[in-house]
């Protein structure tokens, strides 16, 4: 019996709930297809340092419901230069790894694309709570983050309504308002402030002032990429003359057990990624569009900025009237 063919797997960038479910799916489906799986630790850093563990059926047991990633994750500056990439490629070759699965966001796929250009077969699985990767309607971790946020928002609403208060809640989204728009609509926020659309705090403050009679509390969601909760709160307080409370959700949004949807996506994305490697495909990412599992080329993803759904943004504000 000859040596088994071998693939590599790594998680990179900000962790996202469901990454472990992806590790499990890729590993078990690869083993089912008679492949061996090397899991590299701390993303691309693990490739550079040749830091890996061989993943077997048991090593990915009991992780489907755990947030974070058992392979650890990192953003590697060293991998951005040729020297780092060369070390990574040398290690992949030394370990006879024929194909690599990269789980992460757009930054990670930039790295994966570089590997492809230098002769490595590589496919991507989108995982970031920001859901800002083009070529897929959903990234792993986004749905869980939304559920974490709406759970917290219900609690904030309880206290906001009891004290008839204005609350500004800051959610993640470095360059994107996608989390803010989706949670805003799901929690019935009164205002959603995002980097993609200009907002007028004077107008909002004025509306709050005049609505106070009928509306006894106000919930404002702000994406971190648009402004800080404390700046928004100071302006509203100054302009509307009401007390404002803030809540910055931070990394709470990245943790927790993955939602059913993220676990389902993990299974389907994991399977398709391994299939793509077996078919000899490279330089592409698995995704879901209009409820269908599809693939896109890294080049297209990297050149496209995912936009927010402006209709959804408008609808959120209509429904909050
Ligand atoms: O990209 C995911 C994300 O959670 C962003 O929303 C956020 O701005 C960033 O990561 C935070 O990164 P770090 O965990 O390195 O502070």
């Amino acid at each position: 019996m000859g040596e088994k063919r071998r693939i590599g797997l790594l998680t990179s960038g900000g962790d996202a709930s469901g990454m472990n479910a992806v590790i499990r799916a890729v590993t078990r489906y690869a083993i089912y297809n008679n492949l061996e799986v090397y899991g590299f630790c701390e993303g691309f850093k693990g490739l550079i340092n040749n830091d890996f563990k061989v993943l077997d059926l048991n090593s990915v047991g009991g992780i489907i419901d755990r947030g974070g990633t058992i392979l650890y994750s990192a953003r590697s500056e060293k991998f951005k230069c040729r020297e780092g990439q060369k070390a990574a490629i040398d290690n992949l070759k030394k370990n006879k790894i024929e194909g690599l699965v990269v789980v992460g966001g757009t930054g990670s796929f930039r790295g994966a694309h570089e590997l492809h250009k230098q002769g490595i077969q590589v496919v991507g699985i989108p995982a970031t709570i920001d859901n800002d990767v083009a070529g897929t309607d959903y990234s792993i971790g986004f749905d869980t983050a939304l559920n974490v946020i709406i759970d917290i928002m219900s609690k904030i609403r309880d206290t906001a309504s009891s004290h008839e208060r204005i609350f500004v809640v800051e959610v993640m989204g470095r360059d994107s308002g996608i989390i803010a728009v989706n949670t805003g609509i799901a929690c019935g926020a009164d205002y959603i402030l995002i980097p993609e659309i200009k907002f007028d705090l004077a107008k909002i403050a004025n509306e709050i002032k005049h609505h106070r009679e009928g509306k006894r509390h106000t919930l404002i969601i702000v994406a971190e990429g648009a402004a800080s909760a404390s700046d928004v709160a100071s302006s509203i307080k100054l302009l509307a003359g009401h007390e404002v409370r803030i809540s910055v959700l931070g990394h709470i949004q990245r943790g927790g057990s993955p939602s059913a949807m993220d676990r389902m996506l993990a299974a389907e994305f994991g399977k398709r990624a391994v299939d793509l490697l077996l078919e000899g495909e490279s330089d592409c990412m698995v995704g879901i569009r209009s409820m269908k599992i599809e693939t896109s080329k890294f080049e297209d993803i990297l050149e496209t900025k995912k936009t927010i759904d402006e209709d959804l943004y408008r609808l959120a504000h209509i429904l909050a009237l």
Side-chain angles (χ1 to χ4, degrees):
M1 218 170 73
E3 249 183 54
K4 278 192 178 161
R5 296 178 70 194
R6 194 170 291 159
I7 63 166
L9 169 66
L10 61 86
T11 51
S12 163
D15 68 306
S17 194
M19 277 181 164
N20 276 328
V22 172
I23 293 169
R24 172 182 178 270
V26 169
T27 302
R28 293 211 168 148
Y29 189 72
I31 291 172
Y32 171 78
N33 281 283
N34 215 24
L35 299 170
E36 217 170 40
V37 184
Y38 277 28
F40 286 87
C41 298
E42 293 183 76
F44 292 107
K45 200 169 148 194
L47 284 187
I48 295 171
N49 298 336
N50 202 26
D51 180 11
F52 65 84
K53 40 191 171 195
V54 179
L55 299 174
D56 59 20
L57 293 175
N58 289 335
S59 58
V60 296
I63 63 168
I64 193 169
D65 57 353
R66 278 172 56 193
T69 158
I70 60 162
L71 288 178
Y72 309 102
S73 195
R75 298 183 176 97
S76 168
E77 281 305 311
K78 218 168 159 193
F79 188 75
K80 288 184 184 155
C81 63
R82 279 275 155 171
E83 206 191 354
Q85 291 164 16
K86 188 182 172 312
I89 290 168
D90 287 349
N91 285 327
L92 284 167
K93 289 189 174 153
K94 192 167 80 191
N95 292 311
K96 297 190 180 142
I97 290 170
E98 291 183 45
L100 180 69
V101 179
V102 171
V103 185
T106 310
S108 309
F109 299 148
R110 220 172 283 289
H113 183 54
E114 284 309 313
L115 286 180
H116 166 82
K117 286 199 289 188
Q118 292 170 61
I120 301 295
Q121 192 193 359
V122 54
V123 299
I125 294 181
T128 161
I129 70 159
D130 290 356
N131 198 30
D132 57 351
V133 180
T136 185
D137 296 340
Y138 289 96
S139 293
I140 300 283
F142 174 62
D143 184 63
T144 304
L146 295 187
N147 283 295
V148 168
I149 297 167
I150 63 168
D151 188 37
I152 298 168
M153 286 302 290
S154 308
K155 295 178 172 110
I156 291 178
R157 183 184 285 281
D158 287 345
T159 180
S161 76
S162 304
H163 287 271
E164 302 173 58
R165 270 179 178 150
I166 301 164
F167 260 87
V168 181
V169 181
E170 185 182 312
V171 297
M172 276 187 167
R174 205 176 8 210
D175 311 304
S176 157
I178 296 178
I179 294 178
V181 171
N182 283 262
T183 49
I185 203 158
C187 318
D190 298 286
Y191 298 97
I192 305 166
L193 314 182
I194 55 172
E196 293 88 343
I197 294 183
K198 257 184 102 176
F199 49 88
D200 181 348
L201 288 180
K203 186 167 167 270
I204 293 174
N206 194 39
E207 282 175 12
I208 291 174
K209 233 161 127 181
H210 291 99
H211 279 169
R212 281 316 272 178
E213 293 305 304
K215 251 186 196 282
R216 301 178 76 100
H217 66 268
T218 303
L219 296 179
I220 301 172
I221 291 189
V222 57
E224 63 171 335
S228 74
S230 59
D231 285 352
V232 173
S234 312
S235 303
I236 301 280
K237 186 180 173 194
L238 190 76
L239 297 162
H242 290 291
E243 276 301 318
V244 183
R245 292 289 188 267
I246 65 167
S247 213
V248 179
L249 302 191
H251 289 80
I252 292 170
Q253 298 160 90
R254 288 231 298 255
S257 186
S259 65
M261 175 163 168
D262 279 327
R263 296 181 199 197
M264 295 294 297
L265 284 179
E268 298 220 52
F269 285 178
K271 173 196 182 291
R272 179 62 75 90
V274 174
D275 280 340
L276 286 168
L277 289 181
L278 288 168
E279 287 157 16
E281 293 289 336
S282 181
D283 203 27
C284 58
M285 180 198 81
V286 179
I288 183 163
R289 276 182 288 181
S290 305
M291 305 311 278
K292 280 207 172 79
I293 304 294
E294 294 190 354
T295 56
S296 331
K297 294 307 273 183
F298 280 147
E299 246 173 7
D300 297 333
I301 295 161
L302 299 177
E303 275 168 14
T304 316
K305 165 125 181 82
K306 190 168 182 180
T307 52
I308 60 136
D309 184 340
E310 292 202 15
D311 288 340
L312 207 57
Y313 176 81
R314 268 191 294 276
L315 179 62
H317 288 96
I318 292 169
L319 298 182
L321 283 177

